[in-house]
């Protein structure tokens, strides 16, 4: 049986920690669908189209990974894809409570869908999209933490008038 996992997230922006999780996931699953949430409560800095482009480029070398977007309930999307699992990365204890709540809510909504947590390399255990944005916004060096294209795109966003998040 082909086992497909959905790796959902905001990916605003994707980090090397996310890519590390995808690289680990492809060793476990036949297919990974990276699913970017379309209408998050919090407004994203990078538009959905840019986030999709960046991710597609970043996973271009992985034949069993595709990048899509979704809205509505994650479990509904997982079912639509014919997937069996949700992959989420766990960096530290601080991630645990939020992830635990989401995993159990998703289990209640979709008892047939399993959430699988994976730990990224310790080299990325402190890397978050939020901190990367802050570092770039304040002129710091985020090289090595995100794909180079992310730094370019974030700098362009922050250079545009009115973008200070
Ligand atoms: O990268 P993020 O922001 O931590 O990802 C959060 C995400 C997209 C996984 C989460 O917000 C989500 O699944 N949203 C879809 C709505 C949903 O299904 N909510 C109920 C289950 S918790």
């Amino acid at each position: 049986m082909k086992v497909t996992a959905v790796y959902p997230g905001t990916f605003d922006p994707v980090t090397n920690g996310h890519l590390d999780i995808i690289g680990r996931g492809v060793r476990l699953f036949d297919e990974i669908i990276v699913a970017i949430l379309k209408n998050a409560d919090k407004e994203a800095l990078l538009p959905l189209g840019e986030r999709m482009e960046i991710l597609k480029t970043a996973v271009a070398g992985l034949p069993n990974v595709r990048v899509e977007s979704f809205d509505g309930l994650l479990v509904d999307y997982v079912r639509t894809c014919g997937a069996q699992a949700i992959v989420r990365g766990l960096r530290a204890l601080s991630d645990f409570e939020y992830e635990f709540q989401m995993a159990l809510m998703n289990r209640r909504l979709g008892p047939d869908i399993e959430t699988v947590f994976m730990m990224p390399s310790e080299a990325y255990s402190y890397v978050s999209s939020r901190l990367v944005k802050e570092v770039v916004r304040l002129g710091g060096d985020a090289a090595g933490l995100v794909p180079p294209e992310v730094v370019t795109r974030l700098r362009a966003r922050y250079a545009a008038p009115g973008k200070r998040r």
Side-chain angles (χ1 to χ4, degrees):
M1 183 182 108
K2 179 181 169 188
V3 184
T4 299
V6 171
Y7 180 36
T10 311
F11 303 107
D12 183 40
V14 66
T15 68
N16 286 349
H18 293 127
L19 297 175
D20 182 275
I21 295 291
I22 296 170
R24 288 169 199 282
V26 291
R27 301 209 295 257
L28 281 185
F29 299 101
D30 297 303
E31 184 183 31
I32 303 250
I33 301 168
V34 181
I36 309 178
L37 180 65
K38 272 186 200 158
N39 299 311
D41 289 343
K42 46 182 182 185
E43 197 198 328
L45 177 67
L46 295 176
L48 178 66
E50 281 194 41
R51 285 179 279 151
M52 295 216 39
E53 273 176 42
I54 296 168
L55 260 158
K56 280 183 180 170
T57 306
V59 302
L62 300 169
N64 47 351
V65 178
R66 60 190 164 94
V67 181
E68 305 285 351
S69 61
F70 79 104
D71 54 14
L73 280 180
L74 175 61
V75 289
D76 290 342
Y77 178 72
V78 171
R79 284 205 193 94
T80 308
C81 295
Q84 295 81 4
I86 296 166
V87 166
R88 290 286 290 174
L90 259 192
R91 288 165 301 190
L93 200 56
S94 50
D95 284 341
F96 181 76
E97 194 167 341
Y98 169 61
E99 295 297 336
F100 185 70
Q101 284 180 345
M102 275 205 304
L104 291 186
M105 182 60 79
N106 284 329
R107 179 180 285 167
R108 182 191 161 92
L109 297 168
D112 48 327
I113 298 163
E114 215 51 62
T115 298
V116 177
F117 291 108
M118 304 188 78
M119 263 78 72
S121 161
E122 63 274 18
Y124 304 122
S125 58
Y126 63 95
V127 178
S128 68
S129 301
R130 184 180 64 80
L131 279 186
V132 165
K133 282 186 283 195
E134 185 171 312
V135 167
V136 175
R137 180 169 57 86
L138 299 173
D141 183 8
L145 306 180
V146 287
E149 196 190 345
V150 166
V151 176
T152 313
R153 294 208 189 220
L154 288 181
R155 282 194 187 136
R157 280 274 136 194
Y158 285 126
K163 284 289 176 191
R164 285 275 151 246
R165 243 174 310 111

